């Protein structure tokens, strides 16, 4: 098959050959991709789940009640494991800390509340944040925009 004339041939010193688009073509392709991103439907964030039955019980409970006020210490007592064991096992099986995982669950729950029309202050307090500004910062870090921008 002939290559489009917008491709250029690159010859390596070892005589292997690769084809790469011309710089102007790359710029146009990037521009088109950036234009298309806002038009794509949003998809859920993948949420890694652990395999350990105790951690599965913990995660299932938090998925069902993301704003649960129970502390890690309380969960450890309930599950019969130390905080250190929970932290290491959770990190090993999910690739992230329990605190980060729980924060993601809470922020996804918060997003649903905001989309339902609840105020940012009420949602921040419902999610257990001590201040609205801390909630806004965490929300923006995860979703790339503030809760107020979501409402618009």
């Amino acid at each position: 098959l002939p290559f489009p004339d917008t491709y250029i041939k690159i010859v390596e010193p070892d005589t292997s050959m690769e084809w790469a688009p011309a710089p102007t073509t790359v710029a146009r392709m990037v521009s088109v991709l950036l234009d298309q991103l806002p038009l794509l439907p949003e998809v859920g964030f993948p949420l890694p789940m652990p395999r350990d039955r105790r951690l599965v019980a913990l995660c299932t409970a938090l998925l069902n009640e993301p704003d649960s006020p129970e502390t890690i210490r309380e969960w450890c007592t309930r599950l019969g494991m130390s905080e250190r064991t929970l932290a290491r096992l959770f990190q090993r099986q999910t690739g992230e800390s329990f605190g980060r995982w729980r924060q993601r669950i809470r922020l996804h729950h918060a997003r649903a509340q905001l989309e339902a029309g609840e105020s940012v202050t009420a949602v921040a307090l419902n999610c257990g944040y001590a201040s609205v500004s801390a909630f806004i910062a965490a929300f923006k870090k995860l979703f790339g925009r503030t809760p107020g921008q979501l409402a618009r």
Side-chain angles (χ1 to χ4, degrees):
L1 288 174
F3 286 94
D5 57 24
T6 56
Y7 283 79
I8 58 173
K9 185 176 170 181
I10 300 173
V11 179
E12 302 269 329
D14 68 353
T15 68
S16 67
M17 295 170 49
E18 295 181 29
W19 293 93
T24 56
T25 302
V26 172
R28 286 195 317 268
M29 290 176 2
V30 168
S31 179
V32 168
L33 286 173
L34 291 174
D35 288 343
Q36 294 300 309
L37 284 176
L39 305 176
L40 294 173
E42 287 192 32
V43 295
F45 286 85
L47 191 64
M49 290 294 285
R51 294 174 306 283
D52 182 271
R53 64 176 172 71
R54 298 166 297 178
L55 297 181
V56 168
L58 165 63
C59 291
T60 301
L62 290 174
L63 286 167
N64 291 330
E65 192 180 344
D67 52 355
S68 169
E70 284 188 89
T71 64
I72 291 177
R73 178 170 285 145
E74 292 168 329
W75 277 109
C76 288
T77 300
R78 211 167 136 186
L79 298 171
M81 65 172 58
S82 70
E83 288 182 49
R84 187 172 175 184
T85 298
L86 185 143
R88 284 190 302 202
L89 193 56
F90 205 93
Q91 180 72 42
R92 190 177 323 123
Q93 292 191 3
T94 65
E96 58 186 80
S97 72
F98 172 70
R100 177 73 177 123
W101 189 93
R102 186 176 193 176
Q103 180 185 48
R104 287 176 60 195
I105 289 295
R106 286 182 167 174
L107 290 172
H108 281 284
H109 182 65
R111 184 176 179 162
Q113 291 175 327
L114 291 166
E115 288 172 345
E118 292 189 42
S119 75
V120 174
T121 302
V123 171
L125 297 176
N126 288 344
C127 288
Y129 282 86
S131 72
V132 175
S133 60
F135 169 73
I136 292 171
F139 191 93
K140 184 174 182 180
K141 186 174 181 181
L142 181 62
F143 296 113
R145 52 188 173 178
T146 65
Q149 290 171 327
L150 179 70
R152 290 183 212 146

